[in-house]
Amino acid sequence: MELLEERIRRDGKVKPGNVLKVDSFLNHQMDVELFGEMGKEFRRLFPSKEINKILTIEASGIGIACITAQYFQVPVVFAKKSQSINLDGEQYVTKIESFTHKRVYDVIVAKKFLGKDDHVLIIDDFLANGCAAAGLIDLVKSAGAVVEGVGIAVEKGFQEGGRLLRSKGVRVESLAIVESMNADTGEIIFREQA
Ligand code: 5GP
């Protein structure tokens, strides 16, 4: 998606450790107009009328998922990273290793919000090693629901996540795929997409 690539080129910062910082429009301050264009593009890429729910993970996925959901007219469920007194009833739980925080989280969804009749689109901001997406897929499968696909804003194509998920037959669509990036020069190269 040209608009997103341009914005990453303009405002993204390449940090050591393969981290792309996009906190001025995606991860801290959020450009809602840009999110709207991203939501429209996800709708175009996932036209299935069966999708009846969007699943994401707190915190950074929530904004994108909510704006995207307006184009699907479905609810958003976000997986929680910690137990809270507001989480009652039975839960699906899985473990996800965080790429940015380098720790393992229990990730939780209440059973009442995910069930066998659901056809789920998973949305997240980044795809790196694929742990977050794999964990969310695991939650959907535990619920007996169907994964219709995974929609990602920024995939780091030089890490394993995209290849792993696609090799398992998961439909992954990323709006921008970073082929390579250099923390010393700040250069970011994107993969050509149809
Ligand atoms: P994965 O589980 O695929 O290894 O990593 C995906 C998660 O880590 C995303 O939910 C995202 O929050 C975070 N993440 C991974 N790489 C980056 C990055 O380069 N920049 C930012 N801002 N977040 C990242």
Side-chain angles (χ1 to χ4, degrees):
M1 185 186 171
E2 195 59 39
L3 192 66
L4 180 61
E5 290 182 7
E6 270 171 25
R7 191 60 179 272
I8 295 168
R9 265 199 206 94
R10 198 178 84 199
D11 293 335
K13 300 268 177 301
V14 184
K15 297 283 169 190
N18 282 336
V19 173
L20 177 61
K21 205 162 177 200
V22 286
D23 58 354
S24 67
F25 62 95
L26 204 148
N27 283 140
H28 196 359
Q29 177 168 261
M30 293 183 280
D31 183 336
V32 175
E33 215 177 313
L34 175 66
F35 284 16
E37 294 304 316
M38 289 160 59
K40 272 188 223 164
E41 185 64 3
F42 281 133
R43 175 79 272 194
R44 191 184 69 78
L45 293 166
F46 294 101
S48 167
K49 294 204 173 20
E50 289 200 294
I51 294 167
N52 69 336
K53 202 159 274 186
I54 289 179
L55 177 67
T56 188
I57 180 165
E58 69 179 355
S60 297
I62 297 175
I64 301 166
C66 286
I67 302 289
T68 297
Q70 291 183 306
Y71 297 93
F72 287 80
Q73 295 182 301
V74 300
V76 175
V77 175
F78 65 92
K80 298 198 175 211
K81 281 186 183 155
S82 59
Q83 283 289 350
S84 122
I85 48 167
N86 288 325
L87 260 172
D88 53 1
E90 288 189 80
Q91 301 155 358
Y92 301 111
V93 183
T94 193
K95 290 200 186 300
I96 290 180
E97 188 178 343
S98 160
F99 178 79
T100 36
H101 298 115
K102 306 279 179 238
R103 51 169 282 207
V104 177
Y105 293 91
D106 271 338
V107 176
I108 303 155
V109 169
K111 285 193 177 177
K112 63 184 170 190
F113 297 130
L114 208 52
K116 62 178 175 36
D117 295 331
D118 287 326
H119 288 253
V120 181
L121 174 63
I122 292 169
I123 294 280
D124 204 5
D125 59 342
F126 272 88
L127 178 61
N129 294 323
C131 296
L136 292 173
I137 290 170
D138 189 44
L139 290 174
V140 175
K141 291 199 167 150
S142 306
V146 176
V147 177
E148 289 286 337
V150 176
I152 298 291
V154 188
E155 175 177 340
K156 291 186 291 179
F158 53 87
Q159 291 182 256
E160 282 300 283
R163 202 187 53 76
L164 279 173
L165 293 174
R166 291 180 183 104
S167 73
K168 287 182 186 154
V170 180
R171 170 135 190 241
V172 182
E173 297 286 354
S174 301
L175 303 183
I177 303 181
V178 177
E179 197 71 83
S180 65
M181 57 189 205
N182 186 319
D184 296 326
T185 61
E187 190 186 28
I188 301 170
I189 295 170
F190 293 96
R191 187 178 300 171
E192 292 271 350
Q193 295 199 80

